[in-house]
């Protein structure tokens, strides 16, 4: 029997799944990966007309936070290092998610860079987001990502981009 709650549930599932389909969409064939021995060089994709910028993502996120009554996030070098490393890894291995190609998770990556945290959050996106604004708009379109971005308790952040992949880590330091 179809009930109003079943229809609502189906609509909610469809609305929640749409961003995930974009986020986990097939990586374009022919991606070009240029890297250094340390794995820090960004990866580029053919047809990407506008590159994402970590500073622009931070600016857009801080504008959204200000509109929500939250303080601006301050950039933390260790969070930036962890975010950039994960963005490079996602681009190199055509992954979009919180688990790295080596099985690492957010806590592992924060440990590796020596960030001492009381609380943390992470937003990731790509491929298909070809600008800083597209990444931020994608996160704003997802309730969980938006909740992380607009959590006024977070005080520090680090953003990493690689081609059309982006990672933003949020933290409350010890």
């Amino acid at each position: 029997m179809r009930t109003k709650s079943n229809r609502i549930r189906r609509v909610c599932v469809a609305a929640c799944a749409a961003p995930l389909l974009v986020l986990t969409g097939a990586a374009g064939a022919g991606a070009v990966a240029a890297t250094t021995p340390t794995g820090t060089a960004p990866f580029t994709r053919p047809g990407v007309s506008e590159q994402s910028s970590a500073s622009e993502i931070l600016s857009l996120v801080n504008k959204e936070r200000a509109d929500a009554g939250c303080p601006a996030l301050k950039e933390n070098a260790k969070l930036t290092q962890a975010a950039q490393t994960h963005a490079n890894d996602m681009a190199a291995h055509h992954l979009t998610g919180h688990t790295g190609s080596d099985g690492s998770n957010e806590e592992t990556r924060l440990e590796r860079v020596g960030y001492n945290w009381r609380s943390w959050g992470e937003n990731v996106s790509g491929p298909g987001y070809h600008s800083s604004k597209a990444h931020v708009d994608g996160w704003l379109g997802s309730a969980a990502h938006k909740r992380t971005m607009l959590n006024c308790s977070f005080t520090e952040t680090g953003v990493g981009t690689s081609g059309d992949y982006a990672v933003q880590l949020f933290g409350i330091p010890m």
Side-chain angles (χ1 to χ4, degrees):
M1 176 195 321
R2 291 188 176 179
T3 64
K4 184 175 182 179
S5 65
N6 282 339
R7 283 191 301 270
I8 291 170
R9 193 173 301 124
R10 281 194 302 275
V11 169
C12 289
V13 168
C16 293
L20 293 175
L21 291 173
V22 172
L23 288 175
T24 60
V32 177
T35 187
T36 64
T38 61
T40 58
F43 294 87
T44 59
R45 301 173 68 85
V48 175
S49 58
E50 182 180 342
Q51 291 294 309
S52 298
S53 146
S55 61
E56 187 177 6
I57 288 174
L58 178 55
S59 176
L60 291 166
V61 167
N62 275 336
K63 181 190 176 317
E64 292 295 332
R65 288 173 61 85
D67 291 348
C70 297
L73 295 164
K74 292 180 176 62
E75 191 171 3
N76 176 285
K78 291 178 179 181
L79 290 175
T80 299
Q81 180 184 355
Q84 187 61 57
T85 299
H86 189 49
N88 289 346
D89 182 53
M90 289 193 318
H93 296 96
H94 309 291
L95 302 171
T96 303
H98 299 284
T99 303
S101 64
D102 62 354
S104 64
N105 62 22
E106 302 91 322
E107 288 184 26
T108 305
R109 291 188 293 276
L110 292 174
E111 257 178 38
R112 287 177 182 165
V113 298
Y115 184 76
N116 295 315
W117 52 271
R118 282 191 335 206
S119 184
W120 56 264
E122 179 180 69
N123 284 347
V124 301
S125 61
Y129 295 95
H130 302 303
S131 70
S132 301
K133 184 174 181 344
H135 287 290
V136 174
D137 287 347
W139 291 332
L140 288 169
S142 159
H145 292 97
K146 183 176 182 176
R147 194 170 36 256
T148 300
M149 183 189 306
L150 301 181
N151 180 337
C152 294
S153 299
F154 289 128
T155 57
E156 297 182 336
T157 193
V159 180
T161 63
S162 189
D164 54 355
Y165 292 81
V167 176
Q168 183 168 23
L169 282 164
F170 302 84
I172 302 172
M174 288 287 245

